[in-house]
Amino acid sequence: MDKAFKNIKDAEAMLLTVGTLLMSSGASTGRVRTTVNRIADALGFNIELLITNRSLMLKVIDEETNHFIASLKRTSPHGVNFRVVSGISKMSWKVVEENWNIPQINTEIARLVALPHYPRLIILSSVALAGSSFCALFGGKGAELAVAFIATFFGLFIRQESLKKRFNPYVSIFFASFAASLLSVLSVKLGIGNSPDLAIATSVLFLVPGVPLINSFTDMIDGNILNGIVRGIHGLIIALAIALGLLCAKFLFNI
Amino acid sequence: MDFIALFEKGFWAGFAALGFAILFNVPQRTLIIIWIMGALGGFTKYFLIALDVNIVPASLVGASLIGILSVYAAHNKQAPPLVFSTPAVIPMVPGAFAYRMMLGCMELAGTSSNSETYLKTLAETTNNGLKAFFILIALSAGVAIPMLVTRKDTFKRIKSSEEQE
């Protein structure tokens, strides 16, 4: 295999990894396109890119011979991870300003992917705190805040566990919503707090599809209408799964 | 005007934003900024509501403030604007309206259209649903438009090409 061809092949694999990582970590389509283009420009390659929600197609063109390679990579559904988005964005500027080569970029990508998440207990308790903050924002007091905290904590735990057991992501959200609202409905039955509806409505808010919906809008006004629609429908299905879990819990206790 | 209650709302909005920031695994250096932005956005929204502004434009102003601040924060802390703005607007999501709309829909589906309360439920459900929908649009627009207008990326590219010449 001659050297130029190997070089272009390495670039292709690296750029596809960058693109799919950004896409699965919650970047908008426009950002994926700019970042991949920026790195390719800095390395001196001409590229064409097709971005869809679940896969990425990239064509790298050799400017001298006009030969090209095109290949396809699936986007793995990993969930939102802004540490990766921010790290890759920072890296892309270093590639431009410090003239990085492909092996350097690959090492940096490996480092970014291996970066740790926050400890599980911190994630659970801070999201639970966010749940009780929601309750306070909507006018809850004392006991209701505690109910929202516990229900959110338990719901997020169930969601993490069912994702680990490789349930369908929407089904995991249904389980989480059902678990969280079951706890808050139970507290209503036991007569804790004065405005029962508040605790029920806020205990499932940690599941709201914020990133898909905001990215959907960003994509649409940026001209990536198809991706925007796909993200919007994804957010809608999540909302329906939340609603279904809530209704099941309410139905079970006949509230 | 009850400023203590407003500050309290801002305080809680900040913590709601912080919880989502940790869920989305943002870099540690951005956490404090996200708390401040969430609190400012929440304070602005509830301040406008206290001035008798409708909740939809109030959410739009709050989200736009967050969107504009996120562009500056992105410049200083070297992270894309969406890392700051997405967790910070989440405290404003119309959870209560969406919840009431959903309950209303179930009630409408479950009762006969001749019943006395049907029209009242229909009116309330439409109102809650439209509010939830337009608040969501206002939040996304408020966050997305400052990012698209400022286009930090392009600025940086123009600057570096000028330096080379």
Side-chain angles (χ1 to χ4, degrees):
Chain A
M1 199 194 298
D2 79 312
K3 215 179 155 196
F5 181 68
K6 187 176 178 307
N7 195 23
I8 207 172
K9 236 182 148 169
D10 285 350
E12 164 110 36
M14 182 272 292
L15 290 172
L16 273 178
T17 314
V18 168
T20 46
L21 261 180
L22 278 177
M23 201 65 187
S24 61
S25 308
S28 65
T29 306
R31 175 160 291 275
V32 176
R33 192 179 295 281
T34 359
T35 310
V36 174
N37 267 318
R38 187 188 299 148
I39 296 177
D41 271 359
L43 295 172
F45 291 110
N46 226 339
I47 62 163
E48 294 292 341
L49 200 54
L50 169 70
I51 306 173
T52 72
N53 231 42
R54 293 300 289 276
S55 56
L56 213 70
M57 188 169 169
L58 177 72
K59 172 176 159 193
V60 181
I61 307 150
D62 185 359
E63 279 178 347
E64 285 171 21
T65 58
N66 245 358
H67 287 167
F68 68 87
I69 309 179
S71 65
L72 203 62
K73 185 167 176 152
R74 242 187 95 175
T75 309
S76 60
H78 261 314
V80 182
N81 187 344
F82 281 165
R83 203 169 287 206
V84 168
V85 177
S86 142
I88 288 182
S89 164
K90 229 168 131 180
M91 179 190 82
S92 72
W93 284 114
K94 282 190 192 151
V95 173
V96 175
E97 282 157 11
E98 296 169 15
N99 292 320
W100 282 19
N101 56 21
I102 297 172
Q104 263 177 310
I105 300 175
N106 280 332
T107 346
E108 175 71 5
I109 293 174
R111 188 186 74 84
L112 287 174
V113 173
L115 277 182
H117 280 245
Y118 288 97
R120 190 172 183 193
L121 200 62
I122 293 201
I123 299 182
L124 283 170
S125 41
S126 60
V127 173
L129 181 64
S132 48
S133 309
F134 271 122
C135 196
L137 277 178
F138 294 144
K141 293 204 175 53
E144 289 139 27
L145 300 191
V147 170
F149 186 92
I150 295 166
T152 307
F153 191 97
F154 185 59
L156 186 62
F157 178 78
I158 295 284
R159 184 179 178 201
Q160 290 176 338
E161 286 301 312
S162 35
L163 282 177
K164 256 188 217 163
K165 297 218 159 50
R166 296 183 167 273
F167 276 104
N168 171 302
Y170 303 122
V171 174
S172 309
I173 287 183
F174 165 75
F175 286 157
S177 154
F178 182 64
S181 36
L182 205 60
L183 274 188
S184 50
V185 166
L186 200 66
S187 82
V188 172
K189 275 282 175 194
L190 295 174
I192 303 170
N194 325 318
S195 38
D197 258 16
L198 267 180
I200 302 176
T202 51
S203 61
V204 293
L205 279 185
F206 69 101
L207 293 165
V208 286
V211 177
L213 289 180
I214 290 175
N215 273 337
S216 160
F217 189 86
T218 318
D219 276 2
M220 284 203 208
I221 55 172
D222 212 10
N224 302 306
I225 296 182
L226 200 55
N227 279 3
I229 293 173
V230 172
R231 289 191 209 253
I233 301 275
H234 171 65
L236 198 68
I237 301 174
I238 294 179
L240 286 178
I242 299 173
L244 194 64
L246 230 168
L247 282 173
C248 284
K250 282 185 84 127
F251 185 70
L252 207 62
F253 279 88
N254 201 11
I255 290 188
Chain B
M1 193 179 296
D2 189 358
F3 271 102
I4 295 170
L6 284 179
F7 281 123
E8 202 189 320
K9 296 262 189 204
F11 178 80
W12 287 116
F15 277 108
L18 196 68
F20 276 88
I22 287 174
L23 186 65
F24 297 155
N25 200 29
V26 302
Q28 239 157 23
R29 60 179 191 280
T30 60
L31 282 178
I32 296 176
I33 308 278
I34 290 173
W35 186 88
I36 296 173
M37 279 170 46
L40 278 178
F43 179 80
T44 314
K45 177 188 151 186
Y46 286 103
F47 178 68
L48 288 175
I49 290 175
L51 290 177
D52 278 338
V53 179
N54 185 295
I55 187 164
V56 178
S59 302
L60 181 65
V61 174
S64 309
L65 180 72
I66 289 173
I68 293 164
L69 287 179
S70 74
V71 173
Y72 284 99
H75 214 82
N76 288 329
K77 292 275 172 188
Q78 301 204 331
L82 93 158
V83 171
F84 301 94
S85 54
T86 313
V89 289
I90 283 192
M92 294 191 223
V93 290
F97 288 117
Y99 173 75
R100 278 182 224 135
M101 177 202 71
M102 192 192 76
L103 292 188
C105 285
M106 294 310 294
E107 207 181 316
L108 289 180
T111 53
S112 127
S113 60
N114 300 326
S115 80
E116 283 170 19
T117 54
Y118 193 86
L119 277 181
K120 189 166 171 284
T121 318
L122 185 65
E124 279 170 4
T125 308
T126 318
N127 186 264
N128 286 326
L130 284 176
K131 271 193 180 130
F133 179 68
F134 280 110
I135 292 173
L136 267 181
I137 290 187
L139 293 186
S140 328
V143 168
I145 290 170
M147 271 197 264
L148 292 174
V149 169
T150 52
R151 284 271 180 200
K152 186 189 151 220
D153 290 355
T154 347
F155 271 142
K156 218 163 178 175
R157 187 171 293 170
I158 292 165
K159 218 174 109 193
S160 65
S161 64
E162 274 171 356
E163 279 164 7
Q164 278 168 10
E165 286 159 10

